[in-house]
Amino acid sequence: VGLATRGVLGLQQQQQPWNPTLYAQKTGFVAQLGRPVLDLLPRPPARVLDLGCGDGSLTLDVAGRGYEVIGMDADPAMVRAAEEARQRWRRSTTPSKSDGQHSVGSNFVAAFAGDAQQLPVAPLVDAYGPFDAVLSNAALHWMPDHAAVASGVAALFRESAARSDASESTDRVFCGECGGAGNVAGVRAALGAALAPLGLDEASLCPWTFPEPLELCEVLEAAGFRVDELKHFARPVAMDDPADWVRVFGGAYLAALPEGTDSERFLAAFREHAKDYLAPGGTAGDVVSGDAAAPGWLVDYVRLRWRAVYVG
């Protein structure tokens, strides 16, 4: 039961509309490429909060590795998709049984809507028990206040420690991956070139906050974490059509188009400008080194991956 039946907790309105079906069809690689982050979690059994769980694809992978996982996302449509995925998973598997005292086993327990910048700490622990880890993949850059997220995770770990057996000694881990500084710079440049004739400024519309490694490190340390791993790296990903990337992730830009603007004509202009900024090559969904000769476009992803242990 828990939070999943209590409605939206601290949910902030977003400019970004999400279409779970389009997301899965065009950018399903997001969860696939996030799987290495799961290697940063503490060993199971452990209870994990998946912040920004999206449609639940990666959340299912977490459960499949022997964790008890609760998914949280700011978008109600994505939460519904994650809940549907959870129900399908439950019909096809036998989750670990609970003894009524928040025992931990392989299970996708719930998905609910909430704002990670206003994490409902006490209700989470009340509903599900103490948490051992928080995971976030491809979500932190959608949350402008990274300090609030880190502080909320730290508070969750403090509350979890306070309600755990005093004899238990475990590292509580916050790990994840997000867009880092320089992420989708070519996409943004092409968007800017397409927006300029319409009197719009890309930078003022940009919905993302892509941190520098030092920035994220300082945020985590200020919240009481010891940063054990921090990696900033390029990871170009191939797509058949870069306009699909904008359809999925660029809602803030499309919503800002002047009244009467044909969005498809705008996307055609973006696609034309993308020739100047995005390298060709690759098969859709593949991570590409940059020298592939197959048709396609390379979206210039730059990622920032971290693992941090709460030390208070």
Side-chain angles (χ1 to χ4, degrees), residues 44-66:
R47 183 172 292 116
V48 179
L49 177 63
D50 184 358
L51 280 186
C53 67
D55 64 2
S57 296
L58 191 64
T59 322
L60 289 172
D61 288 338
V62 177
R65 291 196 182 197

Side-chain angles (χ1 to χ4, degrees), residues 33 233-239 279-283 285-294 297-301:
L33 299 181
F233 58 100
R235 188 178 63 202
V237 178
M239 291 192 72
T283 301
D286 286 349
V287 178
V288 180
S289 64
D291 56 358
W297 302 72
L298 299 184
V299 177
D300 51 338
Y301 276 105

Side-chain angles (χ1 to χ4, degrees), residues 57-261:
S57 296
L58 191 64
T59 322
L60 289 172
D61 288 338
V62 177
R65 291 196 182 197
Y67 297 95
E68 180 177 293
V69 59
I70 293 89
M72 173 178 163
D73 200 275
D75 185 76
M78 283 297 203
V79 171
R80 287 191 294 271
E83 178 61 21
E84 291 168 3
R86 186 184 78 87
Q87 294 291 350
R88 290 192 299 272
W89 182 84
R90 290 181 67 87
R91 288 193 294 269
S92 64
T93 61
T94 303
S96 301
K97 295 182 181 295
S98 170
D99 62 2
Q101 299 297 319
H102 299 305
S103 64
V104 178
S106 180
N107 194 0
F108 184 174
V109 178
F112 70 97
D115 182 355
Q117 298 163 117
Q118 301 176 28
L119 199 62
V121 170
L124 273 169
V125 181
D126 286 343
Y128 305 115
F131 283 81
D132 305 291
V134 173
L135 166 78
S136 181
N137 179 57
L140 187 66
H141 52 256
W142 291 99
M143 309 169 194
D145 194 344
H146 296 166
V149 176
S151 294
V153 174
L156 179 66
F157 287 162
R158 285 195 298 273
E159 186 73 12
S160 295
R163 301 205 205 178
S164 297
D165 190 319
S167 64
E168 295 180 6
S169 178
T170 181
D171 285 343
R172 300 189 190 274
V173 174
F174 181 25
C175 61
E177 184 179 301
C178 67
N183 191 49
V184 295
V187 172
R188 293 185 60 191
L191 280 166
L195 289 164
L198 302 175
L200 297 173
D201 175 55
E202 185 278 331
S204 65
L205 296 173
C206 179
W208 311 298
T209 303
F210 299 132
E212 294 279 358
L214 181 59
E215 290 176 328
L216 182 59
C217 185
E218 290 176 344
V219 163
L220 291 169
E221 290 177 344
F225 289 93
R226 182 190 72 234
V227 179
D228 288 346
E229 181 172 328
L230 192 61
K231 184 179 180 183
H232 189 216
F233 58 100
R235 188 178 63 202
V237 178
M239 291 192 72
D240 290 332
D241 182 358
D244 285 334
W245 194 95
V246 179
R247 291 186 180 99
V248 174
F249 298 119
Y253 300 105
L254 298 177
L257 296 179
E259 187 175 353
T261 302

